[in-house]
Amino acid sequence: AAHVDIGSKRQIHQFGDSTSTGSTGNHQGEVEIFRIGASCGYAALTGAINGQTVEGLDTALDTYLPALTVTADDVAVLAVGRNNLGGSWLASTDTALASCITKLINKGYGKITCRGVLPTGTRSSLYPTESGKIQTAVTAAADAKVVFCDISGTPAHDTVDGVHPNAAGYATIAAHLEPLYRTILGIA
């Protein structure tokens, strides 16, 4: 078969934890970023690990980012999960979050979207505080390419285990987040 060159494709890369990679319940291909990316004209990928904290993600980016080719047309989504909730969000977490944002800026992404924490599941009363810390880090970055995406209005969604979305859950999340991402990306 002949090779057909479809030209370059903009990319959207999501970095986070097990919720943002779909690893629980074997839902890797159903993560919301794939639906949103396809709908918005982006090729999507996730770079995430179960149990990933912000500190762990900061370290993992040192492995992920050198393997990626990125242009100013590409987007990074920093999808911090729930693994730093409660007493595990420390001063070192703030430092690691700032480092993650800096690494994404330095990689050359044209837009970096730092989204809040999905507001459903266990310990949901702590999500506004964690999302506020993410928003503070975005403000401190003082870079127009770095934006906060408030996802606090995300509706309840189906899960595998009370925390991790299943296929229907990811579809619900995608339906809610897509208009937010389209606004951030300037796509009508």
Side-chain angles (χ1 to χ4, degrees), residues 13-24:
H13 300 158
Q14 180 164 277
F15 303 100
D17 65 358
S18 57
T19 299
S20 57
T21 195
S23 55
T24 301

Side-chain angles (χ1 to χ4, degrees):
H3 172 78
V4 177
D5 185 355
I6 61 169
S8 61
K9 183 84 169 172
R10 297 177 300 178
Q11 301 175 81
I12 188 164
H13 300 158
Q14 180 164 277
F15 303 100
D17 65 358
S18 57
T19 299
S20 57
T21 195
S23 55
T24 301
N26 215 17
H27 294 283
Q28 291 89 346
E30 296 157 344
V31 174
E32 79 285 345
I33 200 65
F34 294 114
R35 290 174 194 255
I36 294 168
S39 177
C40 295
Y42 287 81
L45 72 76
T46 63
I49 300 171
N50 285 349
Q52 189 74 281
T53 62
V54 175
E55 293 86 349
L57 182 57
D58 184 36
T59 300
L61 286 176
D62 293 334
T63 301
Y64 294 152
L65 293 178
L68 298 174
T69 301
V70 172
T71 73
D73 291 329
D74 298 330
V75 177
V77 177
L78 189 56
V80 171
R82 302 167 176 143
N83 296 314
N84 282 102
L85 287 176
S88 62
W89 191 289
L90 310 168
S92 61
T93 308
D94 291 326
T95 302
L97 182 58
S99 177
C100 288
I101 292 169
T102 298
K103 288 174 183 179
L104 296 171
I105 292 169
N106 291 342
K107 181 64 181 177
Y109 287 97
K111 181 73 72 179
I112 299 155
T113 301
C114 301
R115 72 173 206 199
V117 180
L118 286 171
T120 56
T122 59
R123 302 188 290 178
S124 59
S125 64
L126 300 172
Y127 300 164
T129 300
E130 187 170 342
S131 291
K133 290 177 181 281
I134 297 165
Q135 189 169 16
T136 297
V138 167
T139 301
D143 189 313
K145 293 186 293 192
V146 183
V147 296
F148 177 73
C149 182
D150 182 0
I151 63 171
S152 62
T154 304
H157 49 272
D158 293 340
T159 68
V160 174
D161 56 6
V163 175
H164 300 91
N166 60 17
Y170 281 118
T172 298
I173 294 166
H176 178 74
L177 295 186
E178 184 178 333
L180 301 174
Y181 281 34
R182 283 181 170 278
T183 298
I184 288 169
L185 299 173
I187 299 171

